[in-house]
């Protein structure tokens, strides 16, 4: 707003000021379209049933109550799925980063013979895969069905992230630095551990976030692989069954309060599942933007 | 002295060329050991499933196992090609992706140009933060929010319409409306995130060009039209071609969290059909075959898109 009031004085043209306002207005509308759905759902989750049933809640809670949240925290299965999600995400991210670094470091070294072939083996998986059913049967054959490993292992290698890591290592670690370390008698393990990893902290942070957010949000594989072990459902899958398919009901601690409106409970469980992402989002956003740029370099 | 050392290194290089693979294996064994771990992973979780594709050419019976089942050649493919569900799934996959491309592709460009016109860094940053937000949410959450907003009985948008005297619209419970909502949600999800690459391209434009244009009396629109857009043309073309290579892909998660029983016309896409036939009904051969069909078309499209990009003088994707 400040800039727009300065512009006409500076240029003496009112026309520009109007366009400026129009652009800002357009952007504000677009941003609100992104924000208001959350505000609405959050308001609903904090409102009392009668107002929600009467369709009177829009962007501010009416008849403020935390009742729905107390029900969520009383539901052991929801807390359990949150716990599963956290465990799976942490294991997945650590494993994914180990795999990415182990593959990217050798492939970024010019002296490494056979790297063209190995790079092809890795990157081919980006364009062609067995597909849903062969993957499913593979998991089944490996005996991973209905275990958290079916969510941790199969997707933990990402060719796309490998590509970003490799590009970053090739450009950011000077060959001379590595050479001098070799002259001093350091092997590849030493170089990787003492030089490459400390120097690549930013890219490691970025890719870890890629892995973590990707894992946190995915539910397709959980839908396929976690069939019978209901206590191993990650949060997103739990949410799917509770809210979208609505096939599961909340385990209410006191059955006498079953009269409460499911819409309020649904809204509050959506907020519950969104909050972890919303909390870290402002801090991780810039890493993601950097990651996108790094990924685009190759293109 | 110098010449001598130079010839020495030359000699060393010549000698090194004669070494076989064993020499490199011994010299860089640590590198090979490192790469072995991810390589084993990729083989077990990406290449081993590919061998499972053979059941697309077999009459797979669980009792007789993977290799024991009979070969049937292309019979499974003939079967699925004659299914009306298959034709519908292919049509829907193409339809949803092409429409998605039409609507979701232009919005980020427009937003990036708008954001670029904003002088206040603070205003820009707040807007960007809000615009990127939908990208970080899972499709389950987006689906849940969509129902909270758009459902016919209690959706907030419908409440608002009714409050203003209109009649309720079944946004998600009627086929054509569902299609429009699906596309709108797609635009909502990706419009902010898509601006990042364009904004990066715009920030690479030499500011002197704008200064020169200002001196020559060019207005705001003229500068956008004659400097900004031509400068990001390469980015636009590359991204467009990449998206064209993906028109046979399909996000299972997005469809699956937005679909419901009332709308089956457009929700049957290839991945959905694979799930229904394979995991729900246990017809693995048929589901594998349709998945293979999609993968093969997909890879042909990616390669053609890459060729096209290179022919147009852009960097390819492969």
């Amino acid at each position: 707003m400040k800039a727009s009031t300065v512009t006409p004085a500076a240029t003496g043209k009112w026309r520009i000021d109007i366009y400026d306002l129009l652009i800002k207005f357009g952007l504000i509308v677009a941003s609100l379209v992104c924000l208001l759905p959350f505000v609405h759902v959050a308001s609903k989750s904090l409102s009392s049933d009668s107002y929600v049933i009467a369709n009177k809640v829009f962007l501010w809670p009416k008849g403020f109550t935390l009742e729905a949240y107390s029900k969520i925290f009383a539901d052991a299965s929801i807390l359990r799925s949150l716990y599963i999600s956290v465990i799976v995400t942490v294991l997945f991210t650590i494993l994914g980063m180990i795999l990415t670094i182990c593959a990217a470091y050798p492939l970024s070294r010019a002296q490494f013979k056979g790297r063209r072939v190995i790079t092809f083996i890795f990157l081919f998986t980006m364009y062609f895969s067995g597909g849903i059913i062969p993957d499913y049967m593979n998991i089944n054959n490996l005996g991973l069905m209905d275990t958290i490993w079916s969510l941790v292992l199969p997707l933990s290698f990402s060719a796309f992230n490998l590509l970003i890591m490799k590009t970053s290592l090739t450009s950011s670690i000077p060959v001379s630095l590595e050479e001098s370390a070799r002259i001093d008698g350091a092997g590849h393990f030493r170089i990787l551990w003492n030089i490459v990893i400390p120097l690549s902290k930013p890219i490691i942070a970025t890719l870890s976030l890629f892995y973590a957010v990707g894992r946190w949000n995915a539910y397709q594989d959980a839908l396929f692989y976690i069939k019978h072990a209901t206590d191993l459902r990650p949060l997103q899958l739990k949410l799917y069954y509770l809210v979208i398919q609505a096939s599961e009901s909340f385990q209410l601690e006191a059955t006498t309060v079953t009269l409460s409106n499911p819409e309020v409970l649904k809204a509050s469980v959506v907020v519950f599942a969104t909050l972890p992402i919303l909390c870290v989002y402002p801090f991780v956003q810039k890493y993601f933007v950097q990651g996108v740029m790094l990924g685009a370099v190759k293109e | 002295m110098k010449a001598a050392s130079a010839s020495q290194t030359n000699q060393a290089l010549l000698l090194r060329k004669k070494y076989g693979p064993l020499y490199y294996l011994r010299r860089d064994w640590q590198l090979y050991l490192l790469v072995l771990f991810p390589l084993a992973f990729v083989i077990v979780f990406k290449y081993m499933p590919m061998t499972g594709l053979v059941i697309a050419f077999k009459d797979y019976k669980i009792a007789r196992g993977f290799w024991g089942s009979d070969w049937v050649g292309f019979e499974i493919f003939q079967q699925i090609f004659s299914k009306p569900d298959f034709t519908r799934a292919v049509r829907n996959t193409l339809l949803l992706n092409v429409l998605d491309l039409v609507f979701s592709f232009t919005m980020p460009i427009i937003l990036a140009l708008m954001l670029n016109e904003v002088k206040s860094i603070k205003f820009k940053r707040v807007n960007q933060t809000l615009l990127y937000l939908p990208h970080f949410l899972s499709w389950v959450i987006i689906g849940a929010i969509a129902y909270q907003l758009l459902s016919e009985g209690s959706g907030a948008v419908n409440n608002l319409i009714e409050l203003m005297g209109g009649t309720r619209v079944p946004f998600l419970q009627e086929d054509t409306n569902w299609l429009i909502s699906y596309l709108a949600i797609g635009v909502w999800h990706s419009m902010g995130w898509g601006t990042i690459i364009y904004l990066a391209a715009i920030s690479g434009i030499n500011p002197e060009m704008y200064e020169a244009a200002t001196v020559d009396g060019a207005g705001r629109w003229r500068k956008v039209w004659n400097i900004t857009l031509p400068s990001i043309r390469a980015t636009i073309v590359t991204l467009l071609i990449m998206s064209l290579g993906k028109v046979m892909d399909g996000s299972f998660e997005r469809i699956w969290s937005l679909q419901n029983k009332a709308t089956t016309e457009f929700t049957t896409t290839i991945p959905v059909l694979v799930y229904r036939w394979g995991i729900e009904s246990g017809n693995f051969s048929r589901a594998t075959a349709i998945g293979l069909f999609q993968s093969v078309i997909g890879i042909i499209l990616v390669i053609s898109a890459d060729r096209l990009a290179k022919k147009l003088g852009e960097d390819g994707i492969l």
Side-chain angles (χ1 to χ4, degrees):
Chain A
M1 280 300 148
K2 243 181 238 162
S4 65
T5 49
V6 172
T7 329
T11 61
K13 280 183 196 164
W14 272 103
R15 203 168 60 89
I16 292 174
D17 186 39
I18 290 164
Y19 283 131
D20 220 39
L21 282 176
L22 271 177
I23 287 170
K24 284 191 173 171
F25 179 73
L27 284 171
I28 290 171
V29 169
S31 298
L32 285 181
V33 166
C34 290
L35 179 69
L36 292 186
F38 300 101
V39 177
H40 167 72
V41 177
S43 313
K44 222 172 180 179
S45 73
L46 293 167
S47 299
S48 67
D49 294 344
S50 51
Y51 287 101
V52 174
I53 292 165
N55 288 337
K56 281 194 171 136
V57 178
F58 288 100
L59 297 172
W60 197 254
K62 282 184 179 156
F64 182 87
T65 170
L66 286 170
E67 206 189 323
Y69 288 97
S70 67
K71 277 175 194 160
I72 287 179
F73 282 100
D75 185 332
S77 71
I78 294 178
L79 297 180
R80 167 89 190 162
S81 64
L82 176 69
Y83 167 76
I84 295 288
S85 269
V86 171
I87 297 277
V88 165
T89 304
V90 169
L91 287 175
F92 178 84
T93 308
I94 293 171
L95 181 64
M97 277 327 288
I98 293 174
L99 288 170
T100 308
I101 292 170
C102 283
Y105 175 67
L107 295 179
S108 69
R109 298 300 97 185
Q111 84 241 38
F112 184 63
K113 297 290 163 190
R115 66 193 178 118
R116 288 185 77 100
V117 178
I118 297 173
T119 307
F120 178 80
I121 293 174
F122 283 131
L123 296 192
F124 181 69
T125 60
M126 235 160 66
Y127 301 103
F128 191 81
S129 69
I132 293 174
I133 300 299
D135 279 347
Y136 178 86
M137 299 206 312
N138 190 43
I139 299 298
N140 203 9
N141 292 341
L142 292 168
L144 297 177
M145 217 53 110
D146 281 315
T147 64
I148 61 165
W149 302 110
S150 68
L151 306 179
V152 173
L153 301 176
L155 295 178
S156 59
F157 176 81
S158 150
F160 181 74
N161 288 355
L162 166 65
L163 210 59
I164 296 179
M165 188 80 193
K166 198 177 87 137
T167 314
S168 160
L169 287 184
T170 315
S171 59
S172 69
I173 311 290
V175 182
S176 57
L177 192 69
E178 197 206 315
E179 266 170 7
S180 61
R182 286 187 71 79
I183 291 166
D184 291 344
H188 285 296
F189 291 156
R190 274 288 290 275
I191 295 173
L192 178 62
W193 188 254
N194 289 341
I195 297 175
V196 175
I197 291 179
L199 278 176
S200 328
K201 270 183 195 152
I203 183 72
I204 290 176
T206 303
L207 291 183
S208 302
L209 289 169
F210 270 36
Y211 273 116
V213 173
R215 179 64 267 173
W216 184 266
N217 281 341
Y219 78 99
Q220 177 180 341
D221 50 350
L223 181 73
F224 296 169
Y225 305 146
I226 308 289
K227 278 285 175 197
H228 307 292
T230 46
D231 59 336
L232 291 181
R233 281 178 184 164
L235 189 59
Q236 304 298 332
L237 185 64
K238 182 76 188 164
L239 191 66
Y240 170 77
Y241 283 119
L242 277 176
V243 179
I244 300 203
Q245 217 187 37
S247 62
E248 258 174 45
S249 52
F250 295 82
Q251 298 172 3
L252 301 174
E253 42 161 3
T255 41
T256 44
V257 287
T258 42
L259 280 173
S260 65
N261 185 356
E263 286 303 309
V264 180
L265 274 175
K266 280 182 185 177
S268 56
V269 78
V270 168
V271 173
F272 178 79
T274 316
L275 268 183
I277 288 278
L278 285 186
C279 288
V280 295
Y281 171 69
F283 308 103
V284 304
Q285 189 214 124
K286 71 167 189 212
Y287 290 101
F288 268 84
V289 174
Q290 285 163 7
V292 170
M293 312 265 219
L294 276 169
V297 167
K298 182 244 158 193
E299 282 145 16
Chain B
M1 205 40 202
K2 238 180 185 177
S5 72
S7 75
Q8 250 175 2
T9 43
N10 268 344
Q11 224 170 6
L13 276 173
L14 279 174
L15 277 176
R16 193 185 288 179
K17 279 222 168 102
K18 283 179 192 161
Y19 288 122
L22 227 62
Y23 168 81
Y24 297 110
L25 205 59
R26 213 168 61 87
R27 189 190 63 182
D28 296 324
W29 65 272
Q30 291 175 317
L31 290 182
Y32 289 97
L33 196 67
L34 279 175
V35 90
L36 209 59
F37 179 45
L39 206 57
F41 235 81
V42 169
I43 287 168
V44 171
F45 290 107
K46 308 273 180 194
Y47 284 92
M48 250 163 58
M50 285 184 204
T51 61
L53 287 171
V54 296
I55 67 161
F57 306 98
K58 284 182 164 212
D59 181 21
Y60 180 68
K61 297 267 189 302
I62 295 173
R64 299 183 60 182
F66 213 69
W67 301 110
S69 303
D70 297 324
W71 288 96
V72 292
F74 284 91
E75 201 181 289
I76 310 269
F77 286 92
Q78 280 166 356
Q79 273 175 31
I80 57 171
F81 289 156
S82 63
K83 294 257 172 208
D85 259 357
F86 171 79
T87 326
R88 198 148 68 134
V90 173
R91 183 204 71 182
N92 285 344
T93 306
L94 289 172
L95 181 78
L96 291 181
N97 283 328
V98 169
L99 287 177
D100 223 16
L101 189 63
V102 171
F103 291 103
S104 295
F105 193 79
T106 40
M107 200 58 192
I109 304 175
I110 297 167
L111 275 179
L113 292 175
M114 284 167 84
L115 281 167
N116 189 48
E117 294 295 315
V118 173
K119 302 284 180 302
S120 155
I121 291 173
K122 211 173 179 183
F123 181 86
K124 198 169 161 181
R125 199 157 287 162
V126 171
N127 271 295
Q128 279 172 303
T129 304
L130 291 175
L131 288 168
Y132 297 163
L133 186 61
H135 180 83
F136 286 83
L137 300 174
S138 76
W139 280 111
V140 182
I141 290 179
I142 294 173
I145 292 175
Y147 278 97
Q148 296 271 335
L149 289 174
L150 302 175
S151 78
E152 196 179 3
S154 58
V157 173
N158 272 321
N159 294 346
L160 205 65
I161 288 175
E162 200 176 56
L163 209 69
M164 296 193 302
T167 47
R168 291 181 167 266
V169 184
F171 287 110
L172 292 165
Q173 282 109 327
E174 193 269 324
D175 284 320
T176 313
N177 285 336
W178 183 88
L179 183 61
I180 296 167
S181 305
Y182 173 89
L183 295 169
I185 291 165
V187 172
W188 178 80
H189 180 247
S190 62
M191 65 179 181
W193 194 247
T195 61
I196 294 174
I197 288 179
Y198 294 117
L199 283 172
I202 291 172
S203 71
I205 300 172
N206 188 350
E208 280 176 23
M209 289 211 277
Y210 291 108
E211 282 157 27
T214 315
V215 171
D216 289 346
R220 186 192 289 256
W221 302 115
R222 190 125 203 123
K223 279 187 257 182
V224 168
W225 191 250
N226 286 350
I227 300 174
T228 315
L229 275 176
S231 304
I232 61 170
R233 194 190 67 101
T235 312
I236 296 175
V237 172
T238 309
L239 289 180
L240 185 64
I241 291 169
M242 277 171 62
S243 328
L244 280 176
K246 288 184 195 143
V247 291
M248 203 56 183
D249 290 10
S251 163
F252 176 83
E253 294 195 349
R254 178 169 164 200
I255 292 256
W256 202 249
S257 33
L258 291 172
Q259 59 132 18
N260 56 67
K261 287 194 181 73
T263 56
T264 47
E265 181 61 26
F266 297 115
T267 52
T268 312
T269 58
I270 294 178
V272 171
L273 207 54
V274 170
Y275 178 73
R276 294 232 174 91
W277 282 357
I279 293 175
E280 279 186 353
S281 316
N283 196 333
F284 287 124
S285 284
R286 206 177 270 177
T288 305
I290 184 176
L292 180 61
F293 171 81
Q294 183 188 25
S295 298
V296 169
I297 305 263
I299 201 160
I300 292 171
L301 283 172
V302 167
I303 292 170
S304 334
D306 179 63
R307 289 275 155 78
L308 182 66
K310 281 177 181 153
K311 204 167 256 180
L312 289 173
E314 313 293 347
D315 295 333
I317 39 175
L318 297 178

